[in-house]
Amino acid sequence: MAQHAVSDKYRNVDSNALLASTAAPAVDRQGEFVTTGHLWDYVIGKSGYQLEGKTFLDFLEPGFADVFQETMHNAEISRSDSIECQLRFQGELQERQIKFSQVSLAENTVYIVRDVSRERRVEGELNAKEHVVSVINHMALSLFSQESVEEIAWKLAEECIGQLGFVDCVVYLLDESKTLLNQVAAYGVKAGEMRQIVSPIQIPITQGIVGRVAQSGVAEIVEDTTKDSAYIEDVFRGQSELTVPIVNDGVVIGVIDSEHYLRGFFTEEHKNVIATVCSFAANKITRLWAMEAIQRSERHLEALIGSLDDIVFEFDKSHRFVNVWVSNPDNLMHTPEYYIGKEISEVYPKHISSAFKTAIDKVFQTKKPLQMEVTSDMPIKGEWYLLKVNYVGGFTAGDEKVSMLVHNITIRKQAEENLLEAKNKAEEMTKLKSSFLANMSHEIRTPLSGIMGFAELIVDEYGSIEGLREYAQLLLSSSKRLLQTITSILEISKLEAGKASTILTLVNPASIVQSIMPGMQVIAQKKGIELTFTPLLKGESILIEESIYEQMANNLIGNALKFTREGEVHVSLQRVTQRDESFVVLHVRDTGEGIAEEFFDKVFDPFQQESSGMDRGYEGSGLGLSIVRRYAEMYGGKIEFDSEKGVGTEFRLYLPVTS
């Protein structure tokens, strides 16, 4: 039988020419093969003469012939143009998603058969990622609209955990002593009516998995709680546990803890999502705490000022005391009677009496109230007073008087100084917090950029797949929206929102590397290092955004120079072929300190450096290699390295050659 032949039943059907010429896999409702072309190899692994005398049902595992027949029956009843079902073929362990698309063949109804397992799997992954982005976006907006710590905690427990499909969650906040974790919100069995905690407990930070995470500041996934002796049973016994710290400016302020009745339920993706949401919550909670502290200070200050005793003087135009009123005579330097009839300069030193006279004269002249502040060394050095001067008038022009209320504002002045100091500290903390949030933003932006890049690639490469383009575009749109939300929250006006997707162009890698070498030579010369560049390409191009390739090259060459104290750094470009695919490879070899073998697994991890802590030997965030690796993989490439401690290191960046 010819490779594109049809079965005997359909051999003489004139309308079968198209099916036969394309070798499209097709069957009828009884499972008879309409075509036997080579494309059946992609469905059942056989074609041509191997299908002679057999039906589609002969290649199914026992029990799945019934599934096929039921599917055909449903298609006939529903009159659907296409229908899908899960089938398992002989010799296979897993089921596959098979799609049957109806076409008319003469007077017969037949179905084009296609394996859509991979498409449905990709759709499922996209839906999952879209859900994660949606949860983070929703929580970012929800948390930052709350105006109380309690509301934030309950929102965190109810909405975030509920949307992720968890069955239990408890939010803990550290008390003022920083030694006890208090349960402040819950979801699941710990959540009672009217947002009350069922049987609330306190956990010392020295006890339990929750306390351990509060001390370390590092999130944990416990796959089997029966194997962790630190586990503390609360209302129910969970089989697995996810515990994530709520951290602000590097300080743990609380913990979010979730348990599940299944072992191994929680994933790294769960941990990353909760950690991201916790960073939003920590920022908002800290801001609210700061506002509450300021409001308490203001109320305290108002109470202090309201309890102070005031002095009231009455003066005539000659600056003499006419009357003195005071609730506490101890506030005066002398008895009230001593003042009557005396001129101001007879009682107070020159700088005080001069200020009094200036205020009195101005009020007599303008007949308008006046306020001024003065400091005095009498009776107590450094005391501050607020003078409130009002025109009183009199029965005749010569009888005019002014009143002066003397209010001791020393406490207020001290409070203002304290508030100013607190403001300066708050501004400093804000700068530190902005720096921290910028790093967090970078950590969020990096995977988001990857998601958007891959979404664009899916649109370009798999846009023709039914439904997939729409899902990919929706994912891309959601990712951009989240990026804009984060940018708005952080108020970083200098960063452009929603422009993480790259513009792909054909670029010459040799030209880009050559363009950055002069700047690198300056660094090398300052360190006494020999820097050389050998381009071995013949005009090959790569498909990438020019600025991104420049950044990748900068990171690799800059790292080599940074970690090389003496010797040389050699840079080269060459074309290599691996598994029938050609790559442009950027080699960066140095004679630096090298990398210890035990650190190899962490080289490309974000924020990882072999030398860490306050006494580390080199500066840097530990993000450069992570960024290079992400971009390399995003553009279909990879990065490799070899290193020996005390000898040197070589990194190799592979990117596909583009015709």
Side-chain angles (χ1 to χ4, degrees):
M1 182 178 291
Q3 188 180 31
H4 290 181
V6 301
S7 64
D8 293 339
K9 179 178 179 179
Y10 296 95
R11 188 182 302 280
N12 297 320
V13 179
D14 293 338
S15 300
N16 189 48
L18 178 61
L19 289 175
S21 64
T22 60
V27 297
D28 62 15
R29 287 174 178 162
Q30 288 71 42
E32 291 282 345
F33 288 110
V34 179
T35 64
T36 57
H38 70 278
L39 290 183
W40 274 110
D41 285 328
Y42 297 104
V43 181
I44 60 178
K46 294 179 176 59
S47 62
Y49 72 90
Q50 295 173 305
L51 307 184
E52 290 184 8
K54 296 182 180 295
T55 68
F56 183 72
L57 281 63
D58 294 329
F59 296 94
L60 297 175
E61 285 285 335
F64 285 92
D66 294 338
V67 175
F68 170 80
Q69 292 171 342
E70 182 180 355
T71 301
M72 291 296 103
H73 178 69
N74 292 338
E76 183 177 6
I77 294 175
S78 64
R79 297 182 180 180
S80 174
D81 291 336
S82 65
I83 193 167
E84 296 181 15
C85 67
Q86 289 190 330
L87 299 176
R88 180 147 53 92
F89 294 94
Q90 291 180 357
E92 296 183 357
L93 298 178
Q94 293 184 341
E95 298 176 12
R96 288 191 274 153
Q97 189 77 10
I98 304 299
K99 181 176 182 178
F100 298 91
S101 300
Q102 179 179 312
V103 295
S104 295
L105 187 62
E107 297 178 355
N108 301 285
T109 298
V110 300
Y111 294 88
I112 302 296
V113 183
R114 190 156 63 92
D115 184 350
V116 294
S117 302
R118 183 175 179 275
E119 298 172 25
R120 298 299 174 260
R121 184 169 59 254
V122 172
E123 289 174 359
E125 292 173 354
L126 287 174
N127 287 334
K129 291 179 179 178
E130 180 187 351
H131 177 64
V132 168
V133 171
S134 175
V135 170
I136 295 176
N137 182 46
H138 172 77
M139 288 306 301
L141 295 174
S142 178
L143 290 177
F144 277 84
S145 66
Q146 306 308 314
E147 295 302 329
S148 74
V149 173
E150 180 183 9
E151 187 67 23
I152 290 174
W154 281 100
K155 283 284 185 181
L156 189 62
E158 295 171 343
E159 297 196 13
C160 179
I161 301 305
Q163 289 193 38
L164 288 174
F166 295 179
V167 298
D168 164 81
C169 170
V170 177
V171 178
Y172 296 81
L173 290 180
L174 279 168
D175 66 354
E176 293 184 0
S177 69
K178 308 299 182 184
T179 60
L180 291 174
L181 288 158
N182 294 316
Q183 296 180 336
V184 296
Y187 175 84
V189 294
K190 285 287 291 183
E193 296 181 357
M194 304 298 292
R195 285 187 168 179
Q196 296 295 315
I197 304 289
V198 176
S199 303
I201 62 173
Q202 288 182 321
I203 297 181
I205 61 172
T206 57
Q207 297 178 14
I209 298 171
V210 170
R212 188 169 69 205
V213 168
Q215 283 189 309
S216 68
V218 178
E220 291 188 22
I221 295 176
V222 179
E223 295 187 350
D224 187 349
T225 58
T226 62
K227 297 180 180 180
D228 195 321
S229 60
Y231 177 79
I232 297 176
E233 185 172 347
D234 195 352
V235 175
F236 87 106
R237 174 85 194 194
Q239 297 300 308
S240 58
E241 186 167 356
L242 169 63
T243 309
V244 179
I246 304 173
V247 183
N248 183 70
D249 287 344
V251 178
V252 176
I253 63 174
V255 172
I256 183 168
D257 182 69
S258 185
E259 298 184 33
H260 202 276
Y261 52 80
L262 295 177
R263 290 186 177 89
F265 173 80
F266 298 105
T267 66
E268 286 294 321
E269 186 174 41
H270 288 148
K271 184 176 74 173
N272 293 336
V273 171
I274 298 300
T276 300
V277 174
C278 280
S279 69
F280 297 149
N283 178 51
K284 182 66 175 182
I285 289 172
T286 304
R287 287 175 56 194
L288 288 175
W289 279 347
M291 292 175 60
E292 290 173 0
I294 292 174
Q295 291 171 354
R296 287 195 301 270
S297 297
E298 290 177 346
R299 290 193 296 268
H300 180 63
L301 180 60
E302 291 173 358
L304 288 175
I305 293 176
S307 66
L308 296 176
D309 294 330
D310 295 332
I311 305 169
V312 179
F313 295 126
E314 192 174 45
F315 297 97
D316 59 18
K317 280 190 173 182
S318 61
H319 307 139
R320 294 186 177 276
F321 292 92
V322 178
N323 284 301
V324 177
W325 294 276
V326 62
S327 60
N328 182 6
D330 292 337
N331 291 335
L332 294 171
M333 294 173 56
H334 309 283
T335 62
E337 293 78 11
Y338 176 84
Y339 291 84
I340 305 303
K342 288 186 170 60
E343 208 264 351
I344 296 175
S345 58
E346 294 179 76
V347 179
Y348 290 110
K350 183 176 181 180
H351 74 283
I352 296 294
S353 62
S354 176
F356 277 31
K357 291 177 181 179
T358 300
I360 291 169
D361 291 340
K362 189 168 185 179
V363 172
F364 271 122
Q365 179 182 358
T366 63
K367 295 181 174 56
K368 294 181 179 180
L370 179 146
Q371 292 188 21
M372 64 184 301
E373 296 177 358
V374 297
T375 182
S376 170
D377 293 336
M378 303 167 63
I380 301 174
K381 185 175 182 179
E383 293 261 304
W384 276 88
Y385 296 91
L386 173 65
L387 308 183
K388 294 184 178 181
V389 186
N390 288 275
Y391 178 73
V392 177
F395 295 103
T396 63
D399 193 40
E400 293 172 304
K401 297 179 181 66
V402 296
S403 67
M404 178 183 290
L405 184 145
V406 182
H407 182 70
N408 191 317
I409 59 171
T410 304
I411 294 178
R412 195 197 78 186
K413 280 289 187 180
Q414 292 173 345
E416 288 176 351
E417 292 176 1
N418 292 337
L419 286 174
L420 180 61
E421 182 181 355
K423 175 178 174 294
N424 293 334
K425 289 182 178 179
E427 290 175 349
E428 181 181 357
M429 291 296 291
T430 299
K431 292 179 181 178
L432 293 174
K433 180 161 60 180
S434 296
S435 176
F436 170 77
L437 291 176
N439 288 334
M440 285 301 301
S441 173
H442 176 77
E443 282 307 288
I444 297 171
R445 268 182 247 265
T446 300
L448 273 180
S449 298
I451 292 173
M452 289 188 286
F454 280 114
E456 290 175 336
L457 290 177
I458 292 172
V459 171
D460 294 337
E461 297 295 331
Y462 305 98
S464 61
I465 298 177
E466 181 179 350
L468 186 56
R469 181 182 185 89
E470 180 182 353
Y471 284 118
Q473 288 176 333
L474 183 58
L475 172 61
L476 182 60
S477 174
S478 298
S479 299
K480 287 183 178 181
R481 185 170 65 252
L482 175 59
L483 186 59
Q484 292 169 349
T485 300
I486 295 170
T487 302
S488 177
I489 292 170
L490 298 174
E491 299 181 354
I492 303 177
S493 60
K494 291 184 179 181
L495 296 178
E496 296 180 338
K499 295 184 179 180
S501 59
T502 59
I503 302 174
L504 301 179
T505 57
L506 282 175
V507 300
N508 186 325
S511 298
I512 295 176
V513 176
Q514 187 66 58
S515 69
I516 68 175
M517 291 304 292
M520 294 297 177
Q521 286 287 1
V522 173
I523 299 174
Q525 290 171 4
K526 287 183 179 180
K527 299 187 68 173
I529 299 170
E530 182 181 359
L531 175 62
T532 57
F533 173 46
T534 306
L536 301 175
L537 299 178
K538 297 180 180 179
E540 286 86 352
S541 298
I542 57 176
L543 190 62
I544 194 172
E545 186 173 341
E546 183 172 334
S547 62
I548 289 178
Y549 189 76
E550 180 178 341
Q551 178 186 2
M552 298 165 82
N554 263 314
N555 284 347
L556 293 177
I557 300 172
N559 269 4
L561 291 172
K562 179 168 66 173
F563 292 105
T564 302
R565 299 183 185 275
E566 59 182 11
E568 65 174 354
V569 173
H570 181 65
V571 182
S572 65
L573 281 167
Q574 67 180 115
R575 177 173 181 159
V576 300
T577 300
Q578 293 182 349
R579 297 180 181 177
D580 298 328
E581 187 173 4
S582 295
F583 296 90
V584 169
V585 184
L586 172 63
H587 295 258
V588 181
R589 187 185 73 249
D590 64 59
T591 58
E593 295 187 1
I595 303 169
E597 186 174 352
E598 57 268 22
F599 193 74
F600 281 6
D601 292 340
K602 299 180 180 179
V603 165
F604 297 108
D605 291 346
F607 301 108
Q608 291 290 337
Q609 286 188 327
E610 186 175 359
S611 174
S612 61
M614 297 301 293
D615 58 347
R616 60 181 178 171
Y618 301 95
E619 296 181 350
S621 64
L623 287 170
L625 291 176
S626 176
I627 293 173
V628 173
R629 184 183 188 181
R630 289 177 184 273
Y631 278 131
E633 293 176 349
M634 187 173 74
Y635 290 107
K638 62 183 178 179
I639 183 170
E640 300 174 343
F641 75 96
D642 296 310
S643 185
E644 183 177 348
K645 195 67 175 177
V647 177
T649 303
E650 179 182 18
F651 280 91
R652 297 178 296 278
L653 172 62
Y654 294 75
L655 288 172
V657 173
T658 303
S659 302

